Short mmCIF file of all heavy atoms in Angstrom, two decimals:
data_model
loop_
_atom_site.label_atom_id
_atom_site.label_comp_id
_atom_site.label_asym_id
_atom_site.label_seq_id
_atom_site.Cartn_x
_atom_site.Cartn_y
_atom_site.Cartn_z
N GLY A 1 -10.76 -9.44 -13.82
CA GLY A 1 -11.57 -9.55 -12.54
C GLY A 1 -10.87 -10.36 -11.47
O GLY A 1 -11.51 -10.59 -10.34
N ALA A 2 -9.61 -10.71 -11.67
CA ALA A 2 -8.96 -11.59 -10.70
C ALA A 2 -8.52 -10.81 -9.43
O ALA A 2 -8.21 -11.33 -8.41
CB ALA A 2 -7.66 -12.27 -11.34
N GLY A 3 -8.43 -9.39 -9.63
CA GLY A 3 -8.07 -8.55 -8.46
C GLY A 3 -6.75 -7.96 -8.58
O GLY A 3 -6.26 -7.37 -7.70
N LYS A 4 -6.08 -8.04 -9.77
CA LYS A 4 -4.66 -7.56 -9.86
C LYS A 4 -4.57 -6.08 -9.62
O LYS A 4 -3.77 -5.65 -8.89
CB LYS A 4 -4.14 -8.07 -11.24
CG LYS A 4 -4.20 -9.42 -11.60
CD LYS A 4 -3.69 -9.79 -12.91
CE LYS A 4 -4.39 -9.18 -14.03
NZ LYS A 4 -5.84 -9.71 -14.23
N THR A 5 -5.35 -5.35 -10.42
CA THR A 5 -5.21 -3.90 -10.18
C THR A 5 -5.72 -3.41 -8.76
O THR A 5 -5.13 -2.48 -8.13
CB THR A 5 -5.97 -3.07 -11.22
OG1 THR A 5 -5.48 -3.50 -12.52
CG2 THR A 5 -6.04 -1.59 -11.05
N THR A 6 -6.67 -4.12 -8.22
CA THR A 6 -7.11 -3.75 -6.82
C THR A 6 -5.98 -4.01 -5.92
O THR A 6 -5.76 -3.24 -4.92
CB THR A 6 -8.35 -4.54 -6.50
OG1 THR A 6 -9.46 -4.31 -7.32
CG2 THR A 6 -8.74 -4.27 -5.06
N LEU A 7 -5.22 -5.15 -6.20
CA LEU A 7 -4.10 -5.43 -5.29
C LEU A 7 -3.04 -4.18 -5.37
O LEU A 7 -2.52 -3.81 -4.40
CB LEU A 7 -3.41 -6.75 -5.74
CG LEU A 7 -2.06 -7.13 -5.04
CD1 LEU A 7 -2.42 -7.37 -3.54
CD2 LEU A 7 -1.42 -8.28 -5.69
N PHE A 8 -2.74 -3.87 -6.67
CA PHE A 8 -1.88 -2.74 -6.82
C PHE A 8 -2.30 -1.45 -6.04
O PHE A 8 -1.53 -0.79 -5.35
CB PHE A 8 -1.67 -2.34 -8.28
CG PHE A 8 -0.63 -3.09 -9.04
CD1 PHE A 8 -0.13 -4.33 -8.55
CD2 PHE A 8 -0.01 -2.53 -10.08
CE1 PHE A 8 0.90 -5.02 -9.27
CE2 PHE A 8 0.93 -3.18 -10.86
CZ PHE A 8 1.45 -4.33 -10.38
N ASN A 9 -3.63 -1.26 -6.06
CA ASN A 9 -4.15 0.03 -5.43
C ASN A 9 -4.01 -0.10 -3.94
O ASN A 9 -3.72 0.87 -3.30
CB ASN A 9 -5.72 0.18 -5.80
CG ASN A 9 -5.84 0.60 -7.34
OD1 ASN A 9 -4.91 1.13 -7.97
ND2 ASN A 9 -7.01 0.45 -7.81
N CYS A 10 -4.28 -1.34 -3.50
CA CYS A 10 -4.20 -1.45 -1.99
C CYS A 10 -2.68 -1.37 -1.50
O CYS A 10 -2.44 -0.73 -0.45
CB CYS A 10 -4.67 -2.83 -1.48
SG CYS A 10 -6.58 -2.82 -1.56
N VAL A 11 -1.82 -1.95 -2.19
CA VAL A 11 -0.41 -1.91 -1.98
C VAL A 11 0.18 -0.58 -1.96
O VAL A 11 1.03 -0.15 -1.05
CB VAL A 11 0.40 -2.88 -2.73
CG1 VAL A 11 1.92 -2.61 -2.67
CG2 VAL A 11 0.07 -4.34 -2.53
N THR A 12 -0.27 0.28 -2.91
CA THR A 12 0.28 1.67 -3.09
C THR A 12 -0.51 2.70 -2.37
O THR A 12 -0.24 3.90 -2.57
CB THR A 12 0.60 1.97 -4.61
OG1 THR A 12 -0.86 1.85 -5.19
CG2 THR A 12 1.48 0.99 -5.18
N GLY A 13 -1.53 2.39 -1.65
CA GLY A 13 -2.20 3.34 -0.77
C GLY A 13 -3.35 4.10 -1.51
O GLY A 13 -3.93 4.90 -0.77
N LEU A 14 -3.67 3.76 -2.71
CA LEU A 14 -4.87 4.44 -3.38
C LEU A 14 -6.19 3.97 -2.73
O LEU A 14 -7.03 4.73 -2.75
CB LEU A 14 -4.80 4.16 -4.83
CG LEU A 14 -3.68 4.83 -5.63
CD1 LEU A 14 -3.76 4.49 -7.09
CD2 LEU A 14 -3.64 6.34 -5.50
N VAL A 15 -6.18 2.68 -2.34
CA VAL A 15 -7.28 2.19 -1.81
C VAL A 15 -6.87 1.41 -0.40
O VAL A 15 -5.98 0.56 -0.51
CB VAL A 15 -8.11 1.14 -2.59
CG1 VAL A 15 -9.24 0.43 -1.88
CG2 VAL A 15 -8.57 1.89 -3.90
N PRO A 16 -7.40 1.71 0.66
CA PRO A 16 -7.02 0.93 1.88
C PRO A 16 -7.57 -0.46 2.00
O PRO A 16 -8.79 -0.68 1.59
CB PRO A 16 -7.64 1.81 3.08
CG PRO A 16 -8.80 2.43 2.49
CD PRO A 16 -8.49 2.80 0.99
N PRO A 17 -6.81 -1.40 2.31
CA PRO A 17 -7.26 -2.79 2.47
C PRO A 17 -8.27 -2.90 3.65
O PRO A 17 -8.09 -2.08 4.65
CB PRO A 17 -6.06 -3.62 2.67
CG PRO A 17 -5.06 -2.72 3.32
CD PRO A 17 -5.37 -1.29 2.68
N ASP A 18 -9.21 -3.86 3.62
CA ASP A 18 -10.04 -4.04 4.80
C ASP A 18 -9.22 -4.75 5.90
O ASP A 18 -9.48 -4.36 7.15
CB ASP A 18 -11.24 -4.88 4.32
CG ASP A 18 -12.17 -4.18 3.38
OD1 ASP A 18 -12.23 -2.82 3.49
OD2 ASP A 18 -12.76 -4.76 2.50
N THR A 19 -8.50 -5.76 5.57
CA THR A 19 -7.63 -6.45 6.45
C THR A 19 -6.42 -6.92 5.79
O THR A 19 -6.35 -6.95 4.56
CB THR A 19 -8.41 -7.69 7.10
OG1 THR A 19 -8.78 -8.57 6.15
CG2 THR A 19 -9.64 -7.20 7.93
N GLY A 20 -5.43 -7.33 6.55
CA GLY A 20 -4.14 -7.87 6.00
C GLY A 20 -2.99 -6.89 6.27
O GLY A 20 -3.22 -5.80 6.76
N THR A 21 -1.87 -7.41 5.85
CA THR A 21 -0.68 -6.58 6.07
C THR A 21 0.08 -6.52 4.76
O THR A 21 0.00 -7.35 3.93
CB THR A 21 0.28 -7.24 7.02
OG1 THR A 21 0.66 -8.64 6.56
CG2 THR A 21 -0.31 -7.33 8.44
N VAL A 22 0.71 -5.34 4.50
CA VAL A 22 1.48 -5.07 3.38
C VAL A 22 2.93 -4.61 3.96
O VAL A 22 3.01 -3.51 4.45
CB VAL A 22 1.00 -4.00 2.50
CG1 VAL A 22 1.87 -3.78 1.27
CG2 VAL A 22 -0.43 -4.43 2.01
N THR A 23 3.91 -5.51 3.89
CA THR A 23 5.22 -5.18 4.38
C THR A 23 6.17 -4.85 3.26
O THR A 23 6.37 -5.74 2.36
CB THR A 23 5.73 -6.27 5.23
OG1 THR A 23 4.87 -6.59 6.20
CG2 THR A 23 7.15 -5.90 5.93
N PHE A 24 6.79 -3.72 3.26
CA PHE A 24 7.69 -3.30 2.19
C PHE A 24 9.03 -2.81 2.84
O PHE A 24 9.00 -2.00 3.82
CB PHE A 24 7.10 -2.16 1.44
CG PHE A 24 8.05 -1.44 0.50
CD1 PHE A 24 8.55 -2.26 -0.61
CD2 PHE A 24 8.67 -0.25 0.64
CE1 PHE A 24 9.49 -1.69 -1.51
CE2 PHE A 24 9.52 0.31 -0.29
CZ PHE A 24 10.06 -0.46 -1.37
N ASP A 25 10.04 -3.49 2.48
CA ASP A 25 11.44 -3.15 2.91
C ASP A 25 11.44 -3.12 4.39
O ASP A 25 12.10 -2.35 5.11
CB ASP A 25 11.88 -1.74 2.48
CG ASP A 25 13.27 -1.58 2.44
OD1 ASP A 25 14.04 -2.60 2.49
OD2 ASP A 25 13.77 -0.41 2.42
N GLY A 26 10.68 -4.19 5.00
CA GLY A 26 10.72 -4.38 6.59
C GLY A 26 9.66 -3.59 7.29
O GLY A 26 9.73 -3.72 8.51
N ARG A 27 8.86 -2.77 6.62
CA ARG A 27 7.89 -1.89 7.33
C ARG A 27 6.48 -2.15 6.91
O ARG A 27 6.32 -2.37 5.67
CB ARG A 27 8.11 -0.41 7.18
CG ARG A 27 9.52 0.09 7.85
CD ARG A 27 9.70 1.52 7.70
NE ARG A 27 10.04 1.93 6.29
CZ ARG A 27 10.31 3.08 5.87
NH1 ARG A 27 10.10 4.17 6.79
NH2 ARG A 27 10.58 3.37 4.67
N ASP A 28 5.56 -2.29 7.78
CA ASP A 28 4.13 -2.41 7.36
C ASP A 28 3.62 -1.15 6.92
O ASP A 28 3.43 -0.18 7.65
CB ASP A 28 3.41 -2.90 8.70
CG ASP A 28 1.99 -3.37 8.33
OD1 ASP A 28 1.52 -3.15 7.07
OD2 ASP A 28 1.12 -3.76 9.18
N ILE A 29 3.29 -1.10 5.68
CA ILE A 29 2.77 0.15 5.06
C ILE A 29 1.32 0.19 4.75
O ILE A 29 0.88 1.19 4.14
CB ILE A 29 3.56 0.43 3.71
CG1 ILE A 29 3.26 -0.71 2.67
CG2 ILE A 29 5.08 0.51 3.98
CD1 ILE A 29 3.77 -0.32 1.25
N ALA A 30 0.58 -0.78 5.15
CA ALA A 30 -0.83 -0.81 4.98
C ALA A 30 -1.50 0.31 5.62
O ALA A 30 -1.31 0.68 6.83
CB ALA A 30 -1.45 -2.08 5.58
N GLY A 31 -2.22 1.15 4.85
CA GLY A 31 -2.92 2.30 5.34
C GLY A 31 -2.16 3.61 5.23
O GLY A 31 -2.61 4.72 5.53
N TRP A 32 -0.85 3.57 4.73
CA TRP A 32 -0.09 4.70 4.55
C TRP A 32 -0.71 5.37 3.40
O TRP A 32 -1.21 4.82 2.53
CB TRP A 32 1.39 4.36 4.17
CG TRP A 32 2.20 4.02 5.36
CD1 TRP A 32 1.79 3.49 6.65
CD2 TRP A 32 3.67 3.94 5.50
NE1 TRP A 32 2.89 3.14 7.38
CE2 TRP A 32 3.96 3.49 6.63
CE3 TRP A 32 4.64 4.17 4.51
CZ2 TRP A 32 5.33 3.29 7.08
CZ3 TRP A 32 5.98 4.05 4.75
CH2 TRP A 32 6.30 3.55 6.14
N ARG A 33 -0.48 6.86 3.35
CA ARG A 33 -0.90 7.61 2.25
C ARG A 33 0.09 7.43 1.11
O ARG A 33 1.28 6.87 1.24
CB ARG A 33 -0.86 9.10 2.53
CG ARG A 33 -1.93 9.51 3.62
CD ARG A 33 -1.76 11.01 3.90
NE ARG A 33 -2.01 11.76 2.78
CZ ARG A 33 -3.21 12.13 2.31
NH1 ARG A 33 -4.22 11.69 2.83
NH2 ARG A 33 -3.29 12.80 1.21
N PRO A 34 -0.46 7.47 -0.15
CA PRO A 34 0.40 7.19 -1.37
C PRO A 34 1.72 7.84 -1.46
O PRO A 34 2.76 7.25 -1.78
CB PRO A 34 -0.58 7.48 -2.57
CG PRO A 34 -1.92 7.50 -1.97
CD PRO A 34 -1.86 7.75 -0.53
N GLU A 35 1.73 9.19 -1.08
CA GLU A 35 2.95 9.90 -1.15
C GLU A 35 4.06 9.36 -0.14
O GLU A 35 5.22 9.36 -0.45
CB GLU A 35 2.78 11.51 -0.88
CG GLU A 35 2.32 11.81 0.38
CD GLU A 35 0.67 11.83 0.49
OE1 GLU A 35 0.06 11.25 -0.34
OE2 GLU A 35 0.18 12.57 1.36
N ARG A 36 3.62 8.88 1.02
CA ARG A 36 4.56 8.34 1.93
C ARG A 36 5.07 6.97 1.42
O ARG A 36 6.30 6.73 1.58
CB ARG A 36 3.82 8.10 3.26
CG ARG A 36 4.86 7.71 4.42
CD ARG A 36 4.09 7.61 5.72
NE ARG A 36 4.96 7.07 6.85
CZ ARG A 36 4.52 6.47 7.93
NH1 ARG A 36 3.21 6.40 8.23
NH2 ARG A 36 5.51 6.12 8.80
N ILE A 37 4.35 6.31 0.80
CA ILE A 37 4.76 4.98 0.18
C ILE A 37 5.73 5.25 -0.93
O ILE A 37 6.74 4.52 -0.94
CB ILE A 37 3.57 4.14 -0.30
CG1 ILE A 37 2.70 3.80 0.90
CG2 ILE A 37 3.98 2.95 -1.12
CD1 ILE A 37 1.36 3.01 0.54
N THR A 38 5.46 6.30 -1.73
CA THR A 38 6.42 6.69 -2.78
C THR A 38 7.74 7.06 -2.26
O THR A 38 8.81 6.68 -2.77
CB THR A 38 5.84 7.70 -3.71
OG1 THR A 38 4.61 7.25 -4.26
CG2 THR A 38 6.78 8.22 -4.68
N GLN A 39 7.76 7.99 -1.17
CA GLN A 39 8.93 8.32 -0.56
C GLN A 39 9.68 7.14 0.08
O GLN A 39 10.95 7.21 0.16
CB GLN A 39 8.65 9.36 0.54
CG GLN A 39 8.15 10.68 -0.04
CD GLN A 39 7.48 11.51 1.03
OE1 GLN A 39 7.48 11.18 2.23
NE2 GLN A 39 7.09 12.79 0.65
N ALA A 40 8.95 6.08 0.38
CA ALA A 40 9.72 4.88 1.03
C ALA A 40 10.41 4.10 -0.05
O ALA A 40 11.20 3.20 0.29
CB ALA A 40 8.63 4.12 1.80
#
């Protein structure tokens, strides 16, 4: 219940975060679709 899997889901685009930023390899990917994140 700590939120670990929810964090994974938000980072990888399965669930959009309500607020906050997710920067991967220099790009903010918060809100991207899962397939686009995988391609990145």
